[in-house]
Amino acid sequence: MRPLLFLSLIALLSTTCTNPAPSLRAKVTNYQNRPTIFLDDRPVAPILYALTDVPGGRRSWDELPQHNVQQFCNDGIRLFQMDVFLEQLWAEDGTLSLDYARRQVAGIQAVCPEAAVFFRLHVNAPRWWTARYPGDNVRYDSAGYSPDIADGLSRLVEADPRNPQRTSLASEKWRTEAAEQLARFCRDFAK
């Protein structure tokens, strides 16, 4: 299983991810003696619909996720989560494109404009980074790396071979660069 680090960020946008309209106000505070999520000073049921990593269900603009988000929205659910991988945003040339993340938010808000969207941002090293810095990879005691098999529609969360070639989460270099990219994502997405 591929080690996962994630951070949930709330992308609370009032209409679409490209419209700089006022954001929803979000907070967690005690209400009736329990921690409660509030959106615009109203308590919200802690029910969240999360997209999957399965092909056909992971991109919010695809047919099945659109249907599911619409159904949950019709039932009063306003909290939605989708996965975004650093590898989908950070290119080998150093650029960080937020297009995929913005498109995910827009796909949800297309069918549920009042949605509050949580990112599950996976900060695993992109494959190009792992190849560039082999000294920062996980090492196995008595085995080499198993090859990654690209057989078409892979699952991003559970598609690892037995001994995957992956960057070690103990790598100081990776932790420093991942923290920089995470801060960059938060700063740039908040604009």
Side-chain angles (χ1 to χ4, degrees):
M1 188 77 158
R2 185 174 184 180
L4 295 176
L5 291 179
F6 66 89
L7 176 69
S8 290
L9 304 168
I10 302 178
L12 298 173
L13 308 168
S14 62
T15 55
T16 71
C17 61
T18 57
N19 183 353
S23 298
L24 293 171
R25 290 181 319 280
K27 66 181 177 181
V28 176
T29 191
N30 280 334
Y31 176 71
Q32 297 180 346
N33 295 320
R34 294 189 178 114
T36 304
I37 298 170
F38 280 76
L39 298 178
D40 287 337
D41 297 321
R42 292 187 315 256
V44 176
I47 301 170
L48 178 134
Y49 176 74
L51 274 65
T52 179
D53 72 312
V54 173
R58 61 179 164 223
R59 295 186 310 223
S60 65
W61 60 87
D62 285 341
E63 183 179 10
L64 184 58
Q66 287 271 294
H67 171 79
N68 291 342
V69 168
Q70 180 69 67
Q71 293 305 308
F72 276 86
C73 189
N74 290 347
D75 289 338
I77 304 304
R78 296 296 177 260
L79 305 178
F80 296 89
Q81 179 219 292
M82 50 46 196
D83 292 73
V84 175
F85 288 74
L86 194 53
E87 186 164 24
Q88 296 167 319
L89 310 174
W90 185 22
E92 191 168 1
D93 67 5
T95 58
L96 186 75
S97 173
L98 302 180
D99 293 345
Y100 183 82
R102 291 186 193 284
R103 191 168 179 200
Q104 283 282 56
V105 173
I108 290 172
Q109 291 186 327
V111 293
C112 190
E114 61 276 13
V117 180
F118 290 74
F119 288 116
R120 182 179 181 203
L121 181 59
H122 298 260
V123 294
N124 304 73
R127 304 296 166 108
W128 62 261
W129 200 97
T130 300
R132 183 181 291 175
Y133 302 105
D136 289 279
N137 291 344
V138 172
R139 292 183 192 94
Y140 299 98
D141 183 39
S142 60
Y145 298 120
S146 299
D148 281 325
I149 300 170
D151 59 356
L153 299 172
S154 66
R155 291 191 61 188
L156 301 172
V157 175
E158 67 176 37
D160 272 342
R162 183 178 178 126
N163 299 321
Q165 184 174 1
R166 300 291 180 260
T167 299
S168 172
L169 299 179
S171 163
E172 287 297 325
K173 181 172 186 52
W174 171 245
R175 289 167 44 178
T176 298
E177 289 194 25
E180 290 168 359
Q181 295 305 318
L182 178 59
R184 187 176 169 193
F185 173 85
C186 293
R187 189 175 48 250
D188 291 354
F189 200 86
K191 292 179 183 177

